[in-house]
């Protein structure tokens, strides 16, 4: 593996899930693999699970870990090519990445969607610069359009919780929120689930369809109760409008997940990437109930990251 920014960077999804589950059984099985190498974790946006799980995963592999909260601790970055930097920006992203090339064997970066320019976000205006200018492997810790380490953890979690022969029905359902939320988790989950042996359905109100480049031919249902019928897994997530970019079209129906809605399912396991706004996206009774596997999902962030870091190190160590 030379980089990790989407499911297309994974040669065999089932093999990397298997590897992650083996790592979970013995997280310290490869403590020498990263010896003498450094990973730079660059955060342009806030983080809890991604930051801590990546640090734990890297340390489990013996990597030296540098964590940079770039938005708070670094110079103000300029991202525009050809910019005349006579304003508030002090360092160009190209120069910052070139320095990271000198210090790091792997660069992992988190860069959210700006939610102002659809073109910039769809074209990954920040992540693309890391991919262009980095001379070492680049890992996405979430970008404008995808959250691949989260999606791999989701695949691991579903695999752990499904033992029947038939395909599970997995529903990605939109949930309410108080502000416009980016599409990365929804896009990524839809993309990765299409590589899994599942029946995927997306439920969202009219006006909230995700980008067809990610959902492709997945069935989209605008009635939540209909979509949830006989579901085995429910992934709860908010996102803003894609067509009317970053808008929050009015939704009159109640889309918050409750136990009453779970009664229509096949005792569905409930997932959420966190952080979650309780009693807005889903109710306390669901979050704290026996159907919730949300904390298991969060723990698996360690093993998704460690599996990916291990694969990247295999490539580096073979040179």
């Amino acid at each position: 593996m030379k980089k990790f920014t989407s499911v297309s960077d994974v040669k065999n999804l089932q093999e990397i899930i298997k590897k992650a589950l083996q790592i979970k059984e013995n997280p310290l099985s490869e403590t020498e693999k990263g010896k003498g190498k450094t990973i730079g974790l660059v955060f342009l946006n806030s983080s809890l699970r991604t930051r801590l799980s990546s640090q734990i995963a890297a340390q489990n592999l013996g990597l030296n870990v540098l964590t940079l909260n770039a938005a708070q601790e670094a110079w103000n970055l300029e991202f525009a090519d050809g910019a005349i930097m006579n304003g508030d920006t002090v360092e160009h992203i190209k120069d910052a990445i070139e320095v990271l090339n000198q210090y790091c064997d792997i660069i992992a970066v988190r860069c959210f969607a700006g939610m102002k320019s659809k073109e910039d976000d769809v074209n990954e205006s920040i992540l693309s610069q890391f991919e262009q200018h980095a001379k070492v492997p680049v890992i996405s810790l979430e970008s404008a359009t995808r959250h691949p380490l989260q999606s791999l953890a989701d695949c691991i979690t579903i695999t752990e919780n499904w033992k029947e022969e038939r395909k599970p029905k997995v529903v990605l359902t939109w949930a309410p929120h108080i502000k416009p939320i980016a599409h990365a988790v929804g896009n990524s989950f839809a993309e990765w689930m299409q590589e899994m042996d599942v029946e995927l359905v997306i439920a969202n109100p009219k006006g909230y369809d995700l980008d067809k480049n990610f959902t492709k031919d997945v069935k989209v249902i605008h009635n939540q109760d209909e979509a949830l019928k006989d579901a085995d897994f429910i992934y709860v997530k908010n996102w803003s409008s894609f067509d009317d970019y970053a808008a929050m079209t009015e939704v009159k129906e109640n889309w918050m997940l409750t136990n009453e809605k779970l009664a229509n399912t096949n005792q569905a396991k409930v997932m959420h990437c966190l952080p979650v706004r309780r009693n807005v996206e889903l109710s306390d009774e669901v979050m704290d109930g026996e159907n919730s596997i949300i904390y298991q999902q969060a723990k698996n962030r360690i093993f998704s990251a460690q599996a990916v870091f291990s694969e990247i190190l295999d490539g580096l160590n073979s040179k």
Side-chain angles (χ1 to χ4, degrees):
M1 188 184 292
K2 296 180 180 179
K3 66 184 183 74
F4 184 78
T5 61
S6 76
V7 70
S8 63
D9 295 317
V10 177
K11 289 183 179 179
N12 186 314
L13 178 54
Q14 289 304 313
E15 283 299 315
I16 200 166
I17 291 171
K18 181 180 178 181
K19 178 170 186 167
L21 290 170
Q22 290 172 341
I23 289 170
K24 188 172 184 176
E25 289 293 319
N26 187 4
L28 300 179
S29 60
E30 298 181 313
T31 54
E32 295 295 310
K33 182 175 275 193
K35 187 176 181 179
K37 290 186 169 57
T38 297
I39 185 169
L41 305 178
V42 181
F43 290 90
L44 296 174
N45 302 97
S46 56
S47 177
L48 190 155
R49 280 148 297 279
T50 299
R51 181 192 310 272
L52 298 183
S53 62
S54 296
Q55 289 176 334
I56 294 167
Q59 291 166 357
N60 285 348
L61 291 164
L63 279 159
N64 180 39
V65 184
L66 301 179
T67 302
L68 176 64
N69 301 314
Q72 293 84 34
E73 300 170 353
W75 300 110
N76 288 342
L77 292 169
E78 176 61 60
F79 295 96
D81 284 336
I84 299 172
M85 293 173 55
N86 58 359
D88 293 335
T89 56
V90 178
E91 183 159 35
H92 200 283
I93 188 64
K94 290 191 289 188
D95 302 321
I97 295 170
E98 184 54 46
V99 171
L100 289 169
N101 285 330
Q102 313 304 314
Y103 297 163
C104 304
D105 300 283
I106 304 168
I107 298 172
V109 59
R110 165 168 273 206
C111 47
F112 288 172
M115 302 297 286
K116 295 178 180 178
S117 167
K118 184 175 184 177
E119 181 180 7
D120 283 351
D121 290 345
V122 168
N123 292 324
E124 294 284 7
S125 61
I126 298 177
L127 180 64
S128 63
Q129 296 206 46
F130 278 85
E131 293 190 90
Q132 179 183 351
H133 299 297
K135 297 172 183 174
V136 299
V138 171
I139 295 171
S140 170
L141 301 177
E142 188 173 359
S143 68
T145 64
R146 294 179 171 96
H147 196 350
L149 284 177
Q150 177 65 58
S151 297
L152 177 52
D154 300 336
C155 293
I156 295 164
T157 307
I158 289 173
T159 299
E160 284 183 307
N161 285 278
W162 190 251
K163 304 304 179 186
E164 297 187 33
E165 292 296 322
R166 64 177 178 86
K167 289 183 181 182
K169 180 180 178 181
V170 178
V171 180
L172 169 62
T173 182
W174 181 91
H177 209 283
I178 66 168
K179 65 180 183 179
I181 298 294
H183 308 92
V185 171
N187 286 345
S188 199
F189 185 75
E191 198 170 49
W192 284 68
M193 283 298 106
Q194 289 172 78
E195 300 298 320
M196 292 278 283
D197 189 22
V198 304
E199 176 194 349
L200 177 64
V201 173
I202 300 175
N204 58 258
K206 291 181 179 179
Y208 284 91
D209 288 2
L210 290 165
D211 185 350
K212 290 288 287 184
N213 286 318
F214 295 96
T215 61
K216 300 189 185 302
D217 296 325
V218 174
K219 182 187 292 186
V220 179
I221 299 175
H222 295 135
N223 181 299
Q224 190 183 39
D225 290 335
E226 178 186 345
L228 293 180
K229 190 175 188 312
D230 299 326
D232 298 298
F233 294 90
I234 302 171
Y235 201 112
V236 179
K237 188 71 181 82
N238 174 266
W239 57 85
S240 55
S241 175
F242 177 74
D243 289 335
D244 186 8
Y245 196 66
M248 295 177 68
T249 305
E250 182 182 2
V251 176
K252 294 181 180 180
E253 301 86 359
N254 178 15
W255 282 72
M256 183 179 75
L257 189 65
T258 62
N259 275 350
E260 183 179 356
K261 293 183 179 182
L262 280 181
N264 192 37
T265 72
N266 185 29
Q267 288 294 308
K269 301 294 186 182
V270 177
M271 304 173 70
H272 191 290
C273 62
L274 297 176
V276 63
R277 288 186 179 260
R278 285 171 173 254
N279 302 309
V280 175
E281 296 176 79
L282 50 76
S283 63
D284 279 338
E285 63 184 6
V286 174
M287 183 73 189
D288 299 326
E290 61 183 15
N291 294 71
S292 173
I293 52 173
I294 293 171
Y295 298 133
Q296 178 185 354
Q297 190 183 354
K299 184 173 182 177
N300 282 337
R301 290 296 309 279
I302 298 170
F303 312 114
S304 68
Q306 193 166 331
V308 169
F309 296 172
S310 178
E311 291 282 301
I312 293 285
L313 285 170
D314 284 341
L316 291 175
N317 292 336
S318 66
K319 291 183 178 179

